[in-house]
Amino acid sequence: TQIIKVSNTSGPEFSNVPDDVTFNITNPACEQTVSFNAPSAIDLCSNEVIDEDDITWTISNAAISGNGDIPATVLGTGVFTVTWSAVGICGSPSTVTHTITNIDAKSPVPYCKGGVTTVLMSSPNPGVDPIVTIWASDFDLGSFDNCSDVDLSFTENTSQTSISFTCDDLGLNTVQIWVTDDSGNKDFCETSINIQANGGICDSLLDGTRIAGHVETELNEQVEGVEISLQRMNDLSVSQDMTTEY
């Protein structure tokens, strides 16, 4: 008598596996709802179709699992791997995977303070000019993003979070406040800062300054009867009635 034993160590074979998908998220909640039909699986030992309720699934980075079809499931941003598993009567398991990529595609919303005023500070160290350093966060009025915290800066470069002003910057200065989220999306608002110098701390640096020029229209025609005034933020001012030159 001869006994021939045949063993099959092959696991089930999958078909109709969902494709990899990518979603651009723009909604305020920063969420994407997904659902998938379970793939088909054939037990190669019995050559029979495995019931979809016997096919299990897990979604990585979300700690979610179940069996059969994946019902409507809410996910945030990131890359998620869906793993489907099935075991045949021979005891050998098989798995198949596909990915879900959710991208934050919405720029943050910048809110900026307007009309900020500050004064230059004199230095106790001889030879150091008056200066004041301002931070981008000083202008923030509640900027936000739908998916993450935001970084504030004076340029698209997120490392430029501060800027310094000196006696050369007296008066109104226009600045841009850039708001950047964790995905690199960014937007900006434009505002101004008024730099003042109290107590005449800039006088020694401004003595001897000469301002000259012409007053002209956009057609380069000189304008007569114009009063030109120079306003300095330490409460000193001068004015001059001019014809066409000053």
Side-chain angles (χ1 to χ4, degrees), residues 3-11 43-46 89-92:
I3 299 176
I4 300 175
K5 293 184 178 181
V6 178
S7 63
N8 189 339
T9 58
S10 300
D43 186 348
L44 297 181
C45 280
S46 64
I89 61 173
C90 293
S92 298

Side-chain angles (χ1 to χ4, degrees), residues 23-221:
F23 298 100
N24 290 325
I25 297 179
T26 59
N27 62 73
C30 191
E31 296 175 340
Q32 179 64 47
T33 300
V34 299
S35 61
F36 298 96
N37 293 325
S40 302
I42 295 179
D43 186 348
L44 297 181
C45 280
S46 64
N47 201 31
E48 294 180 352
V49 175
I50 296 177
D51 191 288
E52 70 175 32
D53 287 337
D54 293 327
I55 300 175
T56 61
W57 53 265
T58 61
I59 301 179
S60 67
N61 300 329
I64 302 173
S65 61
N67 62 288
D69 295 339
I70 298 179
T73 302
V74 176
L75 300 174
T77 57
V79 178
F80 304 87
T81 300
V82 181
T83 301
W84 303 89
S85 301
V87 180
I89 61 173
C90 293
S92 298
S94 290
T95 62
V96 67
T97 63
H98 62 94
T99 60
I100 307 165
T101 303
N102 291 338
I103 300 172
D104 175 10
K106 186 177 185 301
S107 296
V109 179
Y111 280 104
C112 296
K113 296 177 183 177
V116 174
T117 299
T118 190
V119 297
L120 298 176
M121 307 296 292
S122 58
S123 173
N125 301 319
V128 178
D129 295 340
I131 193 172
V132 63
T133 298
I134 301 297
W135 298 86
S137 56
D138 295 333
F139 294 88
D140 184 38
L141 203 59
S143 304
F144 68 92
D145 182 63
N146 62 324
C147 291
S148 69
D149 293 333
V150 296
D151 294 320
L152 302 169
S153 57
F154 284 103
T155 67
E156 293 185 72
N157 184 350
T158 56
S159 65
Q160 190 172 348
T161 57
S162 65
I163 188 171
S164 296
F165 297 93
T166 66
C167 292
D168 293 333
D169 304 305
L170 292 181
L172 284 177
N173 295 266
T174 300
V175 294
Q176 291 181 346
I177 306 302
W178 284 83
V179 184
T180 307
D181 65 20
D182 287 350
S183 296
N185 302 310
K186 58 190 63 184
D187 202 349
F188 71 92
C189 51
E190 198 167 83
T191 184
S192 62
I193 182 170
N194 188 4
I195 303 298
Q196 298 182 355
N198 295 333
I201 60 174
C202 287
D203 285 354
S204 61
L205 298 177
L206 297 177
D207 287 345
T209 299
R210 180 178 181 273
I211 300 177
H214 298 274
V215 179
E216 298 176 336
T217 69
E218 64 272 15
L219 299 177
N220 297 322
E221 298 174 348

